[in-house]
Amino acid sequence: MTNLTGHHYIDGAWVAGGTSFQSDPVSGDPVTVHSGGRAEIDAAMTAAEAAFEIYGWASREVRAGFLETIAEEIEARGEALTAYGTAETGLPEARLNGERGRTCGQLRLFADHIRKTDFLDRRLDAVLPDRAPLPRPDLRMIQRPLGPVGVFGASNFPLAFSTAGGDTAAALAAGCPVVYKGHPGHPATGEIVAQAIAAAIDKTGMSKGTFGFVQSNTNEAGEALVQHPLTRAIGFTGSFRGGKALFDLAMARPEPIPFFGELGAINPVFVLPAASAARAAEIGTGWAGSLTMGVGQFCTNPGVVVIEDADADAFIAGAEAALTQVSPAPMLTGGTAQAYRAGVSAIADTAKIATRINAAGEGRNAGPALFTVDAADWMANEDLAQEMFGPAGIVIRAKDPAQMAQIARGLHGQLTCTLQMDDADLSVAQTLVPVLERKAGRLLVNAFPTGVEVADSMVHGGPYPASTNFGATSVGTLAIRRFTRPVCYQNMPEELLPQDLQGS
């Protein structure tokens, strides 16, 4: 088992700092972890700013090699990551192994991506000295890294959305040093990945401040990371409440910075009439599997289904048959389980909503919950559209496709919207897609949204409140654009241009 320090990694050294706390694992012994604050964030960010003067001008090949070395070092620690990850989160071993593969795949994908040049978006307008009435200067534009980036870990993906997850990979690929605020739900897992990055820094000779790691179980470190004057952008995945508070801090700075927050969604599924008439029960069974995957702790969890009333009973029967076979299982943290039960209880107490299943569980364990509501009552109660982070779903009974469209128009921003449809549903779908396209970053047909492919064309984001920047994604190679900005060089001597513009 890898040795743990419980320390922060700042400017190339493992250091103690702040108070301490103990982790709360599902199994095994807790670990003691130092909880950093403003002083540790300041030290890490100061080192990151110094590193940017070198790393921000490193070649794409140097950065690509660094990302690949991080992936190799993570793989070398695979056994320890799985052991600590399952103990801390309760996620099964197969899930942790798969997530480790995804994490390393993301790093290598970004390495390949920056070896190509498309993301640079280079634009050249040659000098026109004889143009009338005025000559045109030599103009060259390219995407350049922002500077040090702050990243927050996500509770539900202790690898792929955490220490070396997508935000960190994208920022490092862009040329931005990263200061990472560890998640208190999996501090041991986080430290092991930080050790892998530290080893990669040593192996590749990277500047020591290129990556910083500050453990914390308080708000102080997170607030300090957002407010630090050297922080140029923030990557965040988490709850709406926490993300909105940090977003407000970012906007309230003397110099506001981009805050790329992914805050969750209810990810509605619309079952269109021909599909529901032909296979409502089958769709209900498939939906139940997606709803309960990972104890419902996915930001793309499909928490709401909209279906015509005539076929709702068949859909619910299929869903109930599957959900009753799902046993309560540990949630990621005790706080997550408590919040889930509170959300389920609030829905169960709502007037005009029927409780079909309520196995919310006890302690850290949680089970599925299923509710039904008429479309008119859904649209009259804004509280029903709040995310329940866990395996709970609401089936909305609509009168007809027109009422489905009315529900669609009333949606807030989502990460995903899904259509379950047959060929005969095409005309109904054609009326819904223009509405749903404005509501979500990803539209699906005849699938379920849990499972986000890491690919060039993926968009994992959406209009507010699903995310704080609807033009961005936190998954896929387009994510690199969050941490770059366009710079135009006018009449610049060749020797002063960035390396990727020289010779152009």
Side-chain angles (χ1 to χ4, degrees):
M1 189 73 72
T2 300
N3 291 327
L4 296 174
T5 68
H7 291 177
H8 319 292
Y9 179 73
I10 299 174
D11 200 14
W14 292 95
V15 298
T19 59
S20 63
F21 69 96
Q22 285 200 317
S23 65
D24 180 26
V26 174
S27 60
D29 296 328
V31 297
T32 301
V33 184
H34 284 266
S35 182
R38 292 189 180 276
E40 288 71 31
I41 291 294
D42 179 63
M45 191 55 70
T46 300
E49 176 67 18
F52 180 59
E53 295 182 3
I54 300 171
Y55 189 69
W57 277 260
S59 71
R60 288 179 287 112
E61 183 57 39
V62 165
R63 300 200 307 268
F66 179 44
L67 293 171
E68 290 170 335
T69 304
I70 294 172
E72 292 167 3
E73 292 296 329
I74 289 173
E75 288 172 339
R77 293 160 174 79
E79 184 178 339
L81 282 171
T82 298
Y84 277 115
T86 55
E88 289 186 316
T89 66
L91 295 172
E93 183 175 317
R95 159 71 188 275
L96 266 296
N97 290 338
E99 193 180 328
R100 184 175 70 252
R102 171 176 170 161
T103 304
C104 295
Q106 288 175 158
L107 290 161
R108 293 185 171 112
L109 177 66
F110 277 109
D112 291 341
H113 185 62
I114 62 176
R115 285 192 173 104
K116 306 168 188 176
T117 60
D118 292 350
F119 82 99
L120 296 171
D121 194 19
R122 290 179 291 199
R123 304 185 184 201
L124 312 174
D125 288 296
V127 61
L128 297 176
D130 300 324
R131 189 183 68 175
L134 294 172
R136 185 175 74 188
D138 179 81
L139 300 172
R140 309 185 195 192
M141 189 273 280
I142 194 171
Q143 297 288 333
R144 294 290 296 147
L146 294 178
V149 169
V151 172
F152 288 75
S155 65
N156 58 339
F157 281 86
L159 297 175
F161 276 82
S162 290
T163 315
D167 288 346
T168 297
L172 291 176
C176 299
V178 168
V179 174
Y180 173 83
K181 188 267 182 191
H183 195 286
H186 48 260
T189 308
E191 182 183 333
I192 296 170
V193 178
Q195 290 178 7
I197 300 175
I201 287 175
D202 291 341
K203 277 191 174 182
T204 59
M206 215 57 61
S207 300
K208 299 299 185 184
T210 302
F211 176 79
F213 174 76
V214 178
Q215 300 267 35
S216 178
N217 70 335
T218 71
N219 293 333
E220 180 183 342
E223 292 171 357
L225 185 57
V226 173
Q227 294 175 318
H228 199 284
L230 296 177
T231 305
R232 297 293 86 199
I234 292 290
F236 174 90
T237 299
S239 69
F240 173 80
R241 180 178 178 182
K244 178 62 164 60
L246 294 171
F247 172 73
D248 290 344
L249 286 178
M251 296 303 102
R253 288 169 44 123
E255 181 187 2
I257 57 173
F259 184 92
F260 298 103
E262 191 266 279
L263 310 182
I266 57 174
N267 305 296
V269 177
F270 290 80
V271 186
L272 304 192
S276 63
R279 50 191 177 92
E282 176 188 340
I283 297 171
T285 300
W287 173 71
S290 180
L291 183 73
T292 56
M293 184 183 298
V295 202
Q297 297 167 113
F298 286 84
C299 46
T300 54
N301 195 39
V304 169
V305 171
V306 184
I307 187 170
E308 279 194 328
D309 187 58
D311 300 311
D313 287 341
F315 176 92
I316 292 167
E320 282 184 324
L323 292 174
T324 54
Q325 302 302 310
V326 177
S327 301
M331 299 196 81
L332 294 160
T333 69
T336 302
Q338 185 177 1
Y340 171 67
R341 280 194 295 275
V344 168
S345 179
I347 295 295
D349 291 341
T350 301
K352 298 183 179 180
I353 191 164
T355 301
R356 305 291 303 212
I357 297 174
N358 186 349
E362 297 178 349
R364 192 154 165 174
N365 288 336
L370 178 63
F371 306 98
T372 62
V373 64
D374 289 337
D377 293 327
W378 163 270
M379 291 185 286
N381 190 339
E382 182 76 15
D383 291 340
L384 298 179
Q386 303 305 308
E387 180 185 23
M388 287 182 286
F389 190 64
I394 300 177
V395 177
I396 304 171
R397 295 173 175 267
K399 291 187 298 185
D400 50 34
Q403 196 169 46
M404 285 185 171
Q406 189 178 1
I407 292 169
R409 285 190 289 271
L411 290 170
H412 296 301
Q414 304 293 329
L415 295 171
T416 71
C417 289
T418 299
L419 297 177
Q420 290 285 340
M421 59 176 288
D422 287 351
D423 291 345
D425 290 312
L426 186 59
S427 62
V428 177
Q430 287 173 329
T431 65
L432 281 174
V433 166
V435 179
L436 298 180
E437 183 185 71
R438 299 177 63 189
K439 302 293 184 178
R442 178 164 57 112
L443 304 183
L444 300 83
V445 169
N446 292 338
F448 293 103
T450 41
V452 181
E453 184 71 22
V454 182
D456 291 330
S457 53
M458 177 52 64
V459 174
H460 188 60
Y464 185 85
S467 59
T468 56
N469 189 312
F470 62 84
T473 177
S474 61
V475 177
T477 54
L478 186 63
I480 197 173
R481 291 294 297 271
R482 296 173 298 165
F483 305 123
T484 64
R485 65 183 181 90
V487 179
C488 177
Y489 299 87
Q490 181 170 327
N491 293 335
M492 189 71 67
E494 187 84 3
E495 296 81 3
L496 297 180
L497 289 170
Q499 182 178 350
D500 284 317
L501 272 180
Q502 293 180 12
S504 59

